[in-house]
PDB file of all heavy atoms in Angstrom:
ATOM      1  N   TYR A  25       0.864  -1.199   0.003  1.00 85.00           N
ATOM      2  CA  TYR A  25       0.007   0.014  -0.019  1.00 85.00           C
ATOM      3  C   TYR A  25       0.888   1.256  -0.044  1.00 85.00           C
ATOM      4  O   TYR A  25       1.585   1.552   0.996  1.00 85.00           O
ATOM      5  CB  TYR A  25      -0.881  -0.006   1.165  1.00 85.00           C
ATOM      6  CG  TYR A  25      -2.000  -1.039   1.116  1.00 85.00           C
ATOM      7  CD1 TYR A  25      -1.935  -2.177   1.904  1.00 85.00           C
ATOM      8  CD2 TYR A  25      -3.005  -0.950   0.191  1.00 85.00           C
ATOM      9  CE1 TYR A  25      -2.941  -3.142   1.799  1.00 85.00           C
ATOM     10  CE2 TYR A  25      -3.976  -1.932   0.068  1.00 85.00           C
ATOM     11  CZ  TYR A  25      -4.009  -3.024   0.889  1.00 85.00           C
ATOM     12  OH  TYR A  25      -4.889  -3.993   0.721  1.00 85.00           O
ATOM     13  N   LEU A  26       0.814   1.996  -1.096  1.00 85.00           N
ATOM     14  CA  LEU A  26       1.680   3.149  -1.266  1.00 85.00           C
ATOM     15  C   LEU A  26       1.458   4.191  -0.183  1.00 85.00           C
ATOM     16  O   LEU A  26       2.347   4.841   0.245  1.00 85.00           O
ATOM     17  CB  LEU A  26       1.386   3.808  -2.619  1.00 85.00           C
ATOM     18  CG  LEU A  26       2.380   4.827  -3.115  1.00 85.00           C
ATOM     19  CD1 LEU A  26       3.647   4.136  -3.561  1.00 85.00           C
ATOM     20  CD2 LEU A  26       1.762   5.583  -4.228  1.00 85.00           C
ATOM     21  N   ASP A  27       0.185   4.270   0.376  1.00 86.00           N
ATOM     22  CA  ASP A  27      -0.093   5.352   1.362  1.00 86.00           C
ATOM     23  C   ASP A  27       0.539   5.096   2.657  1.00 86.00           C
ATOM     24  O   ASP A  27       0.373   5.899   3.598  1.00 86.00           O
ATOM     25  CB  ASP A  27      -1.641   5.507   1.476  1.00 86.00           C
ATOM     26  CG  ASP A  27      -2.359   4.205   1.936  1.00 86.00           C
ATOM     27  OD1 ASP A  27      -1.648   3.210   2.174  1.00 86.00           O
ATOM     28  OD2 ASP A  27      -3.566   4.235   1.926  1.00 86.00           O
ATOM     29  N   SER A  28       1.265   4.018   2.821  1.00 89.00           N
ATOM     30  CA  SER A  28       2.014   3.775   4.128  1.00 89.00           C
ATOM     31  C   SER A  28       3.461   4.277   4.019  1.00 89.00           C
ATOM     32  O   SER A  28       4.173   4.128   5.047  1.00 89.00           O
ATOM     33  CB  SER A  28       1.983   2.303   4.420  1.00 89.00           C
ATOM     34  OG  SER A  28       0.703   1.855   4.720  1.00 89.00           O
ATOM     35  N   TYR A  29       3.877   4.751   2.940  1.00 92.00           N
ATOM     36  CA  TYR A  29       5.309   5.027   2.743  1.00 92.00           C
ATOM     37  C   TYR A  29       5.570   6.324   2.061  1.00 92.00           C
ATOM     38  O   TYR A  29       4.827   6.811   1.127  1.00 92.00           O
ATOM     39  CB  TYR A  29       5.966   3.923   1.869  1.00 92.00           C
ATOM     40  CG  TYR A  29       6.061   2.589   2.578  1.00 92.00           C
ATOM     41  CD1 TYR A  29       4.990   1.715   2.491  1.00 92.00           C
ATOM     42  CD2 TYR A  29       7.176   2.294   3.374  1.00 92.00           C
ATOM     43  CE1 TYR A  29       5.098   0.476   3.165  1.00 92.00           C
ATOM     44  CE2 TYR A  29       7.184   1.061   4.035  1.00 92.00           C
ATOM     45  CZ  TYR A  29       6.221   0.189   3.968  1.00 92.00           C
ATOM     46  OH  TYR A  29       6.272  -0.990   4.632  1.00 92.00           O
ATOM     47  N   THR A  30       6.707   6.943   2.448  1.00 95.00           N
ATOM     48  CA  THR A  30       7.302   8.021   1.687  1.00 95.00           C
ATOM     49  C   THR A  30       7.893   7.494   0.376  1.00 95.00           C
ATOM     50  O   THR A  30       8.490   6.426   0.455  1.00 95.00           O
ATOM     51  CB  THR A  30       8.413   8.730   2.533  1.00 95.00           C
ATOM     52  OG1 THR A  30       7.786   9.417   3.658  1.00 95.00           O
ATOM     53  CG2 THR A  30       9.250   9.690   1.677  1.00 95.00           C
ATOM     54  N   ILE A  31       7.801   8.235  -0.662  1.00 96.00           N
ATOM     55  CA  ILE A  31       8.380   7.775  -1.949  1.00 96.00           C
ATOM     56  C   ILE A  31       9.281   8.892  -2.441  1.00 96.00           C
ATOM     57  O   ILE A  31       8.985  10.110  -2.342  1.00 96.00           O
ATOM     58  CB  ILE A  31       7.279   7.547  -3.013  1.00 96.00           C
ATOM     59  CG1 ILE A  31       6.357   6.452  -2.515  1.00 96.00           C
ATOM     60  CG2 ILE A  31       7.891   7.262  -4.364  1.00 96.00           C
ATOM     61  CD1 ILE A  31       7.041   5.063  -2.420  1.00 96.00           C
ATOM     62  N   GLY A  32      10.423   8.470  -2.990  1.00 97.00           N
ATOM     63  CA  GLY A  32      11.381   9.486  -3.534  1.00 97.00           C
ATOM     64  C   GLY A  32      11.584   9.249  -4.953  1.00 97.00           C
ATOM     65  O   GLY A  32      11.474   8.093  -5.483  1.00 97.00           O
ATOM     66  N   TRP A  33      12.024  10.263  -5.649  1.00 98.00           N
ATOM     67  CA  TRP A  33      12.484  10.242  -7.060  1.00 98.00           C
ATOM     68  C   TRP A  33      14.019  10.536  -7.067  1.00 98.00           C
ATOM     69  O   TRP A  33      14.424  11.512  -6.426  1.00 98.00           O
ATOM     70  CB  TRP A  33      11.805  11.248  -7.917  1.00 98.00           C
ATOM     71  CG  TRP A  33      10.371  10.820  -8.381  1.00 98.00           C
ATOM     72  CD1 TRP A  33       9.243  11.174  -7.834  1.00 98.00           C
ATOM     73  CD2 TRP A  33      10.042   9.956  -9.505  1.00 98.00           C
ATOM     74  NE1 TRP A  33       8.184  10.607  -8.522  1.00 98.00           N
ATOM     75  CE2 TRP A  33       8.661   9.834  -9.574  1.00 98.00           C
ATOM     76  CE3 TRP A  33      10.848   9.291 -10.427  1.00 98.00           C
ATOM     77  CZ2 TRP A  33       8.020   9.071 -10.560  1.00 98.00           C
ATOM     78  CZ3 TRP A  33      10.182   8.553 -11.413  1.00 98.00           C
ATOM     79  CH2 TRP A  33       8.815   8.431 -11.417  1.00 98.00           C
ATOM     80  N   PHE A  34      14.720   9.746  -7.825  1.00 98.00           N
ATOM     81  CA  PHE A  34      16.140   9.971  -7.965  1.00 98.00           C
ATOM     82  C   PHE A  34      16.504   9.974  -9.444  1.00 98.00           C
ATOM     83  O   PHE A  34      15.700   9.504 -10.269  1.00 98.00           O
ATOM     84  CB  PHE A  34      16.941   8.832  -7.274  1.00 98.00           C
ATOM     85  CG  PHE A  34      16.663   8.785  -5.739  1.00 98.00           C
ATOM     86  CD1 PHE A  34      15.488   8.276  -5.281  1.00 98.00           C
ATOM     87  CD2 PHE A  34      17.616   9.309  -4.928  1.00 98.00           C
ATOM     88  CE1 PHE A  34      15.290   8.219  -3.867  1.00 98.00           C
ATOM     89  CE2 PHE A  34      17.479   9.290  -3.574  1.00 98.00           C
ATOM     90  CZ  PHE A  34      16.271   8.741  -3.042  1.00 98.00           C
ATOM     91  N   ARG A  35      17.709  10.419  -9.810  1.00 98.00           N
ATOM     92  CA  ARG A  35      18.128  10.334 -11.175  1.00 98.00           C
ATOM     93  C   ARG A  35      19.636   9.990 -11.192  1.00 98.00           C
ATOM     94  O   ARG A  35      20.375  10.310 -10.296  1.00 98.00           O
ATOM     95  CB  ARG A  35      17.800  11.652 -11.968  1.00 98.00           C
ATOM     96  CG  ARG A  35      18.632  12.921 -11.450  1.00 98.00           C
ATOM     97  CD  ARG A  35      18.126  14.117 -12.162  1.00 98.00           C
ATOM     98  NE  ARG A  35      18.838  15.314 -11.768  1.00 98.00           N
ATOM     99  CZ  ARG A  35      18.508  16.497 -12.240  1.00 98.00           C
ATOM    100  NH1 ARG A  35      17.517  16.729 -13.049  1.00 98.00           N
ATOM    101  NH2 ARG A  35      19.211  17.529 -11.832  1.00 98.00           N
ATOM    102  N   GLU A  36      19.995   9.384 -12.357  1.00 98.00           N
ATOM    103  CA  GLU A  36      21.387   8.976 -12.437  1.00 98.00           C
ATOM    104  C   GLU A  36      21.809   9.130 -13.882  1.00 98.00           C
ATOM    105  O   GLU A  36      21.155   8.869 -14.829  1.00 98.00           O
ATOM    106  CB  GLU A  36      21.528   7.476 -12.058  1.00 98.00           C
ATOM    107  CG  GLU A  36      22.868   6.943 -11.979  1.00 98.00           C
ATOM    108  CD  GLU A  36      22.937   5.549 -11.430  1.00 98.00           C
ATOM    109  OE1 GLU A  36      21.908   5.067 -10.997  1.00 98.00           O
ATOM    110  OE2 GLU A  36      24.021   5.009 -11.507  1.00 98.00           O
ATOM    111  N   VAL A  37      23.063   9.640 -13.966  1.00 97.00           N
ATOM    112  CA  VAL A  37      23.769   9.721 -15.264  1.00 97.00           C
ATOM    113  C   VAL A  37      25.026   8.916 -15.184  1.00 97.00           C
ATOM    114  O   VAL A  37      25.567   8.795 -14.135  1.00 97.00           O
ATOM    115  CB  VAL A  37      24.047  11.196 -15.674  1.00 97.00           C
ATOM    116  CG1 VAL A  37      22.793  11.989 -15.858  1.00 97.00           C
ATOM    117  CG2 VAL A  37      24.966  11.861 -14.672  1.00 97.00           C
ATOM    118  N   PRO A  38      25.482   8.350 -16.279  1.00 93.00           N
ATOM    119  CA  PRO A  38      26.649   7.491 -16.259  1.00 93.00           C
ATOM    120  C   PRO A  38      27.829   8.196 -15.659  1.00 93.00           C
ATOM    121  O   PRO A  38      28.103   9.407 -15.954  1.00 93.00           O
ATOM    122  CB  PRO A  38      26.883   7.167 -17.707  1.00 93.00           C
ATOM    123  CG  PRO A  38      25.608   7.234 -18.335  1.00 93.00           C
ATOM    124  CD  PRO A  38      24.893   8.400 -17.622  1.00 93.00           C
ATOM    125  N   GLY A  39      28.508   7.564 -14.694  1.00 94.00           N
ATOM    126  CA  GLY A  39      29.754   8.119 -14.114  1.00 94.00           C
ATOM    127  C   GLY A  39      29.474   9.009 -12.933  1.00 94.00           C
ATOM    128  O   GLY A  39      30.417   9.489 -12.312  1.00 94.00           O
ATOM    129  N   LYS A  40      28.225   9.263 -12.523  1.00 96.00           N
ATOM    130  CA  LYS A  40      27.972   9.977 -11.376  1.00 96.00           C
ATOM    131  C   LYS A  40      27.089   9.249 -10.397  1.00 96.00           C
ATOM    132  O   LYS A  40      26.410   8.248 -10.755  1.00 96.00           O
ATOM    133  CB  LYS A  40      27.178  11.278 -11.827  1.00 96.00           C
ATOM    134  CG  LYS A  40      28.021  12.273 -12.601  1.00 96.00           C
ATOM    135  CD  LYS A  40      27.229  13.579 -12.837  1.00 96.00           C
ATOM    136  CE  LYS A  40      28.097  14.600 -13.575  1.00 96.00           C
ATOM    137  NZ  LYS A  40      27.408  15.850 -13.733  1.00 96.00           N
ATOM    138  N   ASP A  41      27.052   9.691  -9.146  1.00 95.00           N
ATOM    139  CA  ASP A  41      26.221   9.057  -8.112  1.00 95.00           C
ATOM    140  C   ASP A  41      24.765   9.340  -8.434  1.00 95.00           C
ATOM    141  O   ASP A  41      24.386  10.385  -9.016  1.00 95.00           O
ATOM    142  CB  ASP A  41      26.595   9.574  -6.762  1.00 95.00           C
ATOM    143  CG  ASP A  41      27.975   9.141  -6.298  1.00 95.00           C
ATOM    144  OD1 ASP A  41      28.498   8.127  -6.812  1.00 95.00           O
ATOM    145  OD2 ASP A  41      28.509   9.812  -5.417  1.00 95.00           O
ATOM    146  N   ARG A  42      23.927   8.429  -7.989  1.00 96.00           N
ATOM    147  CA  ARG A  42      22.513   8.657  -8.049  1.00 96.00           C
ATOM    148  C   ARG A  42      22.126   9.820  -7.175  1.00 96.00           C
ATOM    149  O   ARG A  42      22.450   9.902  -5.993  1.00 96.00           O
ATOM    150  CB  ARG A  42      21.721   7.412  -7.735  1.00 96.00           C
ATOM    151  CG  ARG A  42      20.289   7.357  -8.039  1.00 96.00           C
ATOM    152  CD  ARG A  42      19.702   6.021  -7.914  1.00 96.00           C
ATOM    153  NE  ARG A  42      20.210   5.024  -8.893  1.00 96.00           N
ATOM    154  CZ  ARG A  42      19.758   3.878  -9.108  1.00 96.00           C
ATOM    155  NH1 ARG A  42      18.769   3.389  -8.360  1.00 96.00           N
ATOM    156  NH2 ARG A  42      20.347   3.038 -10.011  1.00 96.00           N
ATOM    157  N   GLU A  43      21.371  10.773  -7.760  1.00 96.00           N
ATOM    158  CA  GLU A  43      21.053  12.003  -7.106  1.00 96.00           C
ATOM    159  C   GLU A  43      19.563  12.056  -6.718  1.00 96.00           C
ATOM    160  O   GLU A  43      18.724  11.671  -7.532  1.00 96.00           O
ATOM    161  CB  GLU A  43      21.309  13.169  -8.053  1.00 96.00           C
ATOM    162  CG  GLU A  43      20.878  14.521  -7.616  1.00 96.00           C
ATOM    163  CD  GLU A  43      20.937  15.539  -8.764  1.00 96.00           C
ATOM    164  OE1 GLU A  43      20.936  15.195  -9.955  1.00 96.00           O
ATOM    165  OE2 GLU A  43      20.921  16.793  -8.426  1.00 96.00           O
ATOM    166  N   GLY A  44      19.301  12.477  -5.480  1.00 97.00           N
ATOM    167  CA  GLY A  44      17.906  12.650  -5.051  1.00 97.00           C
ATOM    168  C   GLY A  44      17.285  13.864  -5.693  1.00 97.00           C
ATOM    169  O   GLY A  44      17.955  14.930  -5.736  1.00 97.00           O
ATOM    170  N   VAL A  45      16.069  13.714  -6.144  1.00 98.00           N
ATOM    171  CA  VAL A  45      15.360  14.830  -6.895  1.00 98.00           C
ATOM    172  C   VAL A  45      14.193  15.310  -6.023  1.00 98.00           C
ATOM    173  O   VAL A  45      14.082  16.576  -5.853  1.00 98.00           O
ATOM    174  CB  VAL A  45      14.884  14.339  -8.239  1.00 98.00           C
ATOM    175  CG1 VAL A  45      14.028  15.398  -8.916  1.00 98.00           C
ATOM    176  CG2 VAL A  45      15.978  13.887  -9.155  1.00 98.00           C
ATOM    177  N   ALA A  46      13.391  14.462  -5.481  1.00 98.00           N
ATOM    178  CA  ALA A  46      12.245  14.895  -4.754  1.00 98.00           C
ATOM    179  C   ALA A  46      11.709  13.768  -3.894  1.00 98.00           C
ATOM    180  O   ALA A  46      11.900  12.607  -4.243  1.00 98.00           O
ATOM    181  CB  ALA A  46      11.145  15.458  -5.646  1.00 98.00           C
ATOM    182  N   LEU A  47      10.948  14.116  -2.797  1.00 97.00           N
ATOM    183  CA  LEU A  47      10.291  13.091  -2.048  1.00 97.00           C
ATOM    184  C   LEU A  47       8.945  13.630  -1.553  1.00 97.00           C
ATOM    185  O   LEU A  47       8.766  14.865  -1.513  1.00 97.00           O
ATOM    186  CB  LEU A  47      11.182  12.627  -0.876  1.00 97.00           C
ATOM    187  CG  LEU A  47      11.474  13.557   0.226  1.00 97.00           C
ATOM    188  CD1 LEU A  47      10.352  13.743   1.311  1.00 97.00           C
ATOM    189  CD2 LEU A  47      12.758  13.153   0.966  1.00 97.00           C
ATOM    190  N   ILE A  48       8.074  12.709  -1.295  1.00 96.00           N
ATOM    191  CA  ILE A  48       6.719  13.098  -0.785  1.00 96.00           C
ATOM    192  C   ILE A  48       6.384  12.114   0.334  1.00 96.00           C
ATOM    193  O   ILE A  48       6.506  10.902   0.145  1.00 96.00           O
ATOM    194  CB  ILE A  48       5.738  13.178  -1.862  1.00 96.00           C
ATOM    195  CG1 ILE A  48       4.384  13.704  -1.373  1.00 96.00           C
ATOM    196  CG2 ILE A  48       5.553  11.765  -2.584  1.00 96.00           C
ATOM    197  CD1 ILE A  48       3.484  14.069  -2.466  1.00 96.00           C
ATOM    198  N   ASN A  49       5.911  12.596   1.476  1.00 93.00           N
ATOM    199  CA  ASN A  49       5.582  11.623   2.545  1.00 93.00           C
ATOM    200  C   ASN A  49       4.170  11.089   2.252  1.00 93.00           C
ATOM    201  O   ASN A  49       3.496  11.502   1.315  1.00 93.00           O
ATOM    202  CB  ASN A  49       5.639  12.336   3.917  1.00 93.00           C
ATOM    203  CG  ASN A  49       4.518  13.179   4.242  1.00 93.00           C
ATOM    204  OD1 ASN A  49       3.867  13.725   3.366  1.00 93.00           O
ATOM    205  ND2 ASN A  49       4.192  13.207   5.551  1.00 93.00           N
ATOM    206  N   ARG A  50       3.814  10.154   3.129  1.00 90.00           N
ATOM    207  CA  ARG A  50       2.581   9.383   2.809  1.00 90.00           C
ATOM    208  C   ARG A  50       1.275  10.175   2.818  1.00 90.00           C
ATOM    209  O   ARG A  50       0.366   9.847   2.104  1.00 90.00           O
ATOM    210  CB  ARG A  50       2.460   8.233   3.764  1.00 90.00           C
ATOM    211  CG  ARG A  50       2.550   8.587   5.226  1.00 90.00           C
ATOM    212  CD  ARG A  50       2.603   7.327   6.062  1.00 90.00           C
ATOM    213  NE  ARG A  50       2.594   7.659   7.502  1.00 90.00           N
ATOM    214  CZ  ARG A  50       2.626   6.702   8.405  1.00 90.00           C
ATOM    215  NH1 ARG A  50       2.652   5.433   8.123  1.00 90.00           N
ATOM    216  NH2 ARG A  50       2.596   7.069   9.739  1.00 90.00           N
TER     217      ARG A  50
END
């Protein structure tokens, strides 16, 4: 159930660390 969790968006480009973009709580 998605409504029990915070969800985040991340992005990644080759050669770089995965970067946090946004999050939203439940």
